[in-house]
Amino acid sequence: MDFTVLTIFPEMFDAFWAHGIIRRALNQGQVTASTVNIRDYAEGRHKMTDDRPYGGGCGMVMKPEPLAAAIEAVRSNSPQALTVLLTPQGRPFDQGLAEELSRENSLIFVCGRYEGVDDRICDNHVDLEISIGDYVLTGGEVAAMAVIDAVTRLLPGVLGNEDSAWQDSFSRDLLEHGHYTRPPEFNGEKVPEVLLSGNHSAIAKWRLEYSLVKTLLKRSDLLKERPLEQSELDILHKWQKEIESIIRSKS
Ligand code: 6GU
């Protein structure tokens, strides 16, 4: 996978490329990455990348010429690349979209700043617009990092344990079960006994139950969207009976 990021703050990515799984994926050659300073494609003595909006109003708009020149320069080197604009108006980013993007060979991320990007860039130079949630950031850089992070960990061979990518939250549309490590008792709280038992089928059952109940309590919207297997329905029935018996005993 090749990532290219177009931004007026390329230094923001120096630390991002240099740490954790991204750094390892770069070192192992599963990922290549570069940043392009949009300002390098701006004209004139002041190298302006923004200007006042036509029609008035507050804030500044990113000028189309430097952005178009930067995108065209990058695209001429990788014509099959998918060009992604980070914008709060984009398609909501989720695990499914991360999986789609992980199947591309080459992604170009265009980070907007100021109030936004001249609409003619969105219309003519971008394949896909992505938003990372319903809130407003001051720029697309943090959003691009979120997308790159989520995509990188899905690439073949990037995560050490092959299982860990599909087991986690959302890849099964459930929140993940709880995790524990040593010590067996911390501040008076014990690790659930079943996890120390070595009984793998009991552990798998406990984890599924934990996932289902946590999802029910924290993100019931996910359960409503999702089909349930018989083993999952059985667990929810068990909890339903438990809750009903408590209510009956009190009324
Ligand atoms: Cl991708 N960009 C900006 N500026 N704000 C956002 C966003 C992106 N996603 C959510 N809010």
Side-chain angles (χ1 to χ4, degrees), residues 85-89 112 114 130-140 143-144:
L85 175 69
L86 286 314
T87 161
Q89 280 116 50
Y114 317 111
I130 293 179
S131 162
I132 62 162
D134 291 339
Y135 43 82
V136 181
L137 303 170
T138 56

Side-chain angles (χ1 to χ4, degrees), residues 23 45 47 56 68 79 98 130 139 141 148 155 186 229-230 240:
R23 173 195 163 112
R45 201 156 55 85
K47 300 261 174 207
I130 293 179
E141 285 80 4
I148 291 168
L155 299 173
F186 172 69
E229 288 171 19
Q230 191 58 50
Q240 181 184 26

